[in-house]
Amino acid sequence: MTVTDRPGSEAIQASLTVGQVARAAGVTPNAVRFYERYGVITGHRNSGNARRFTVDAVCRIKLALAAQRVGITLKESADILSGIPPLSPDLGQWVAAGEELVRIGRARIDQLQTTVNELATLGFLQTP
């Protein structure tokens, strides 16, 4: 998902290295590449062929990490975050993405709670 630099492109305006993104997001450089491969973040290549990311890659990774903890897949996170252009200053888009991740997370928690309740009562062993 890496694109090449073009003069004047917004990706050039604010770029971080893989290591900078990793440190800021609290993940390893390999994790940054993993999130790029799965479409959570999108990088570009500079003239020296090094990967660069916009500053919002950190926020995207942090949202995806939190979403993963409640069972939201990387594909789901990537799909939700794909509606936000790089460097978007539109807080409403970020809030909407966060709210959608919360909605999906709460649905997952409800499903898990139902399963835990069935396990606790051994309800799954009962015949209908």
Side-chain angles (χ1 to χ4, degrees):
M1 296 241 174
T2 301
V3 296
T4 306
D5 279 347
R6 285 181 211 94
S9 78
E10 64 185 21
I12 295 170
Q13 293 175 14
S15 67
L16 300 174
T17 65
V18 170
Q20 289 170 322
V21 171
R23 277 188 298 282
V27 299
T28 66
N30 281 339
V32 172
R33 294 191 242 341
F34 179 79
Y35 285 111
E36 182 185 18
R37 195 168 37 253
Y38 283 89
V40 173
I41 61 173
T42 302
H44 65 279
R45 296 245 180 215
N46 67 8
S47 58
N49 203 31
R51 274 189 185 96
R52 296 286 190 246
F53 299 90
T54 55
V55 295
D56 59 320
V58 174
C59 185
R60 292 170 192 272
I61 290 172
K62 286 183 173 190
L63 281 170
L65 278 168
Q68 281 181 280
R69 289 195 297 268
V70 294
I72 296 173
T73 67
L74 285 179
K75 177 164 180 11
E76 289 171 309
S77 291
D79 288 347
I80 290 166
L81 295 171
S82 70
I84 305 172
L87 299 173
S88 175
D90 184 351
L91 185 58
Q93 288 181 309
W94 288 100
V95 168
E99 288 173 346
E100 180 63 8
L101 289 168
V102 167
R103 186 194 64 73
I104 293 169
R106 285 188 173 141
R108 294 282 161 83
I109 291 167
D110 290 344
Q111 290 171 340
L112 287 170
Q113 188 62 57
T114 298
T115 301
V116 167
N117 290 343
E118 287 176 0
L119 288 170
T121 63
L122 300 178
F124 62 93
L125 294 176
Q126 299 172 4
T127 55

